[in-house]
Amino acid sequence: DQPLGHVAVESTELPGEAAALARASAQRADLKALDQQSQAADLGRQAANASHLPALALRAGVTQQNDELSRAFNKSSQLYQAGLALTWEGFSPLRSRAKAAEFQAQSAALRHGAKALESAVALEVRSALLNAREARERALVEARAVRVAEEQARVARLAYREGVKPLRISGAMKI
């Protein structure tokens, strides 16, 4: 029988608060999602701001107009096309300003949501670290109490063997 006081309390080192918070934040998919949504809203705002500008499109193509396989790559049966298109909407600046403001508000709301979530994660990490430290301290105190009780039981057994005082058994412990 090994005495209870010799039960080892694990002494694995807990990470520091900054390291634990960085690790927890990196593993939170919801934080990553909010960050990506905020970036998307910022890109939407940029696109809305640029939507009132003229757009230029270039298009080119080659068409083969021969059904015979032997003349498939003959230059005389090929048709080349090229096109250039310029578009501009005269009333789009009014709509684009409102859409840009909407995206900006959405981005700000997402950033505030992310800050609130980061604060909640930080509180959760601090709480977990404090609980772990408290549990470790309680385990150490209990281990010391077990060692003291074992020593008291040893002294009582010795005293009983020497006939100094009668042995009193209390609780569930039997000697």
Side-chain angles (χ1 to χ4, degrees):
D1 280 338
Q2 184 180 12
L4 292 176
H6 297 287
V7 174
V9 176
E10 287 189 35
S11 62
T12 55
E13 192 64 32
L14 291 174
E17 187 176 321
L21 184 58
R23 184 174 177 196
S25 295
Q27 293 177 347
R28 294 290 297 252
D30 48 356
L31 278 174
K32 291 177 185 176
L34 283 174
D35 183 49
Q36 289 175 347
Q37 289 171 357
S38 177
Q39 289 176 7
D42 286 339
L43 290 174
R45 179 187 50 79
Q46 291 174 4
N49 282 337
S51 69
H52 71 279
L53 298 173
L56 182 64
L58 174 64
R59 186 175 128 169
V62 176
T63 305
Q64 181 67 36
Q65 292 185 329
N66 197 337
D67 294 337
E68 294 179 28
L69 187 59
S70 63
R71 300 176 70 192
F73 294 105
N74 191 350
K75 295 273 186 195
S76 65
S77 61
Q78 292 179 349
L79 177 66
Y80 300 96
Q81 296 175 345
L84 188 62
L86 177 66
T87 58
W88 181 64
E89 294 183 34
F91 296 106
S92 74
L94 301 175
R95 287 190 307 257
S96 66
R97 280 190 214 131
K99 196 66 174 170
E102 179 184 338
F103 279 124
Q104 188 171 4
Q106 183 181 12
S107 177
L110 288 166
R111 279 194 303 275
H112 288 298
K115 289 279 187 199
L117 188 56
E118 286 171 359
S119 294
V121 168
L123 179 61
E124 193 176 308
V125 166
R126 278 188 212 104
S127 177
L129 287 173
L130 290 174
N131 287 340
R133 288 182 184 120
E134 180 184 2
R136 180 179 289 158
E137 290 299 318
R138 272 191 267 143
L140 290 172
V141 167
E142 293 300 323
R144 285 185 207 118
V146 167
R147 285 195 296 273
V148 167
E150 285 177 340
E151 181 61 20
Q152 289 174 345
R154 187 187 70 76
V155 169
R157 279 192 297 272
L158 286 174
Y160 178 73
R161 284 186 200 136
E162 297 298 321
V164 175
K165 64 181 182 177
L167 181 62
R168 293 184 200 145
I169 299 176
S170 64
M173 186 174 177
K174 294 182 182 176
I175 301 176

